[in-house]
Amino acid sequence: MRYLMMTKGGSQPDEKLYAEMGKFIEEMTAAGVLLVTGGLDPAGFRVTSSDGEITVTDGPFTEAKEVVAGFALVEVRSKEEAIELARRFRHIVGDGESIIQQVFGP
């Protein structure tokens, strides 16, 4: 089962956070759980459609805490395992919100 784990914007990381995240990422990579991870540019842009009209809006968006700041694609045996990884991640990075969605398809 693959899950996309996304985290919304938070505080600026410090050296301790980078070190802890590095260990966590190394552990998940060695276990074969982590497929890919990355940070996202907070500026971004939004593409919407309504009645056949396409609108492109450049960021950054007004609510920075609502912007997805990073992601990880993991492959695990169960939903519970994905939740446990998310709990460990939140414990490392502190207050904030993560969104986890199962990825379907090949």
Side-chain angles (χ1 to χ4, degrees):
M1 301 175 84
R2 288 179 293 155
Y3 286 88
L4 181 62
M5 307 172 84
M6 298 165 283
T7 187
K8 291 191 176 180
S11 60
Q12 188 66 20
D14 60 15
E15 291 299 317
K16 181 181 176 195
L17 177 60
Y18 278 124
E20 289 182 44
M21 281 303 301
K23 289 178 191 174
F24 185 52
I25 289 170
E26 285 178 19
E27 179 186 328
M28 290 195 311
T29 301
V33 171
L34 182 63
L35 302 177
V36 66
T37 186
L40 300 172
D41 181 354
F45 55 93
R46 181 176 293 133
V47 179
T48 57
S49 61
S50 178
D51 295 325
E53 187 173 325
I54 306 296
T55 304
V56 178
T57 307
D58 291 330
F61 304 104
T62 55
E63 290 294 327
K65 66 183 179 185
E66 295 298 316
V67 174
V68 175
F71 72 95
L73 181 62
V74 298
E75 188 162 12
V76 294
R77 293 179 296 275
S78 66
K79 173 184 170 182
E80 292 74 23
E81 190 175 347
I83 291 170
E84 181 56 30
L85 289 174
R87 286 177 195 245
R88 291 180 61 199
F89 172 79
R90 293 282 10 138
H91 180 71
I92 292 168
V93 300
D95 294 346
E97 180 180 5
S98 293
I99 301 165
I100 306 166
Q101 292 177 283
Q102 186 172 2
V103 176
F104 298 112

